[in-house]
Amino acid sequence: MHPRNRQRKNASAMKLVGALVARFRIAAGLTQRQLAEQACAQPETIASIEQGRRTLLPPLARVLDSLLDTKGTLETAVDNMPEVDLIPAWAEQYMDLERSALALSWFENQVLPGLLQTENYARAVFRTDVPALSEEEISQRVAARIDRREVLLRSEPPTASFIFSEAILVDRLGGDDVHSETLRHLLLCSEIPGVTLQVMPLGRQTHAGLSGPFILIETPEHQRIGYTETQRGSQLISSPDEVSILERKYAMLRTQALNSEDTKRLLDRLLGEL
């Protein structure tokens, strides 16, 4: 099914299904890690599903029904969950790929990449949404975004490269306190093994990313996929020719941006100016 036609399931229903998974797993005498191994999934995936933080998708529901001998209970529950568009449906397929990616290359020019956002920065981003979101919707979206940061802290984390515009660091979404917290957080992120941050400085005469932000993903099967978002939709790009274009753009961006050491010095300088 095309990701635009899928909806993020209701948060309360996700918790209910997660609780069922946990109950059936315990009844079967399995740990989360043991169930994950048998289901060919990540232990973090099972844990997040049981906590109601991640949707149980139909293919995994069928596998778990078979392993736990639950006679289709989980698949039936998933198929009949109420739906609500808390997280854009068209982004859900990308997030599935992000969770298991071997490598991520991410360019942004207006907002920090989601995996680098603090809770307060994410809240400031969602507070600027138009039309305005309710406080409950904001809280749910912030929680989901912060949960995604675990991707960088997996036992076998992806190799992750981030390039983002200096304009993002000049903006002060959420106010001065959030701004300084964000700069400190970026410095901490720059120390995570396998993570590289590069800032595209202002005032350049050439720029390989003028067509907009994009993400490159390498899957565990070594497939390379591109991802782009618009205001109300997204596109997963699997054509080798099209992915090659994005890879060449990203390679050029890496030569045009500050290197990682100069990026850290810029972050230090901006913090010192506060």
Side-chain angles (χ1 to χ4, degrees), residues 144-266:
R145 178 154 297 180
I146 297 307
D147 180 48
R148 287 170 56 199
R149 297 193 317 196
E150 295 180 7
V151 168
L152 300 179
L153 303 175
R154 292 184 334 221
S155 57
E156 297 182 8
T159 300
S161 168
F162 299 93
I163 301 174
F164 47 90
S165 172
E166 185 179 351
I168 295 171
L169 302 180
V170 174
D171 287 339
R172 294 173 178 253
L173 288 180
D176 291 345
D177 289 343
V178 173
H179 184 229
S180 60
E181 177 191 49
T182 297
L183 294 175
R184 287 192 294 271
H185 178 70
L186 290 174
L187 282 169
L188 291 175
C189 288
S190 70
E191 301 298 331
I192 298 175
V195 172
T196 302
L197 307 187
Q198 291 182 258
V199 170
M200 179 64 76
L202 297 172
R204 284 197 54 86
Q205 295 185 5
T206 58
H207 196 307
L210 296 181
S211 297
F214 62 92
I215 303 170
L216 291 164
I217 310 156
E218 182 180 354
T219 73
E221 297 74 34
H222 304 291
Q223 181 184 10
R224 286 173 169 78
I225 297 172
Y227 178 76
T228 62
E229 285 189 1
T230 62
Q231 286 281 342
R232 298 300 300 160
S234 70
Q235 181 181 15
L236 281 170
I237 303 165
S238 57
S239 164
D241 289 343
E242 295 299 318
V243 173
S244 174
I245 291 173
L246 293 179
E247 288 179 331
R248 282 179 279 164
K249 284 179 179 285
Y250 201 83
M252 186 62 71
L253 284 167
R254 295 200 73 167
T255 70
Q256 295 172 342
L258 300 178
N259 64 36
S260 58
E261 293 304 317
D262 286 341
T263 292
K264 291 178 186 178
R265 281 190 280 270
L266 173 62

Side-chain angles (χ1 to χ4, degrees), residues 2 12-13 16 36 76 86 104 106 201 217 232 234 256-257 273-274:
H2 192 283
S12 297
L16 175 60
T76 300
L86 292 176
L104 290 165
W106 193 324
I217 310 156
R232 298 300 300 160
S234 70
Q256 295 172 342
E273 293 174 353
L274 296 179

Side-chain angles (χ1 to χ4, degrees), residues 68-84:
L68 300 173
D69 193 26
T70 45
K71 300 177 174 59
T73 300
L74 295 175
E75 184 180 7
T76 300
V78 168
D79 287 344
N80 291 277
M81 288 171 67
E83 296 179 336
V84 60

Side-chain angles (χ1 to χ4, degrees), residues 94-101 104 106 115 148 151 154:
Y94 162 75
M95 288 190 288
D96 291 341
L97 292 168
E98 180 185 77
R99 292 178 188 120
S100 59
L104 290 165
W106 193 324
L115 296 182
R148 287 170 56 199
V151 168
R154 292 184 334 221

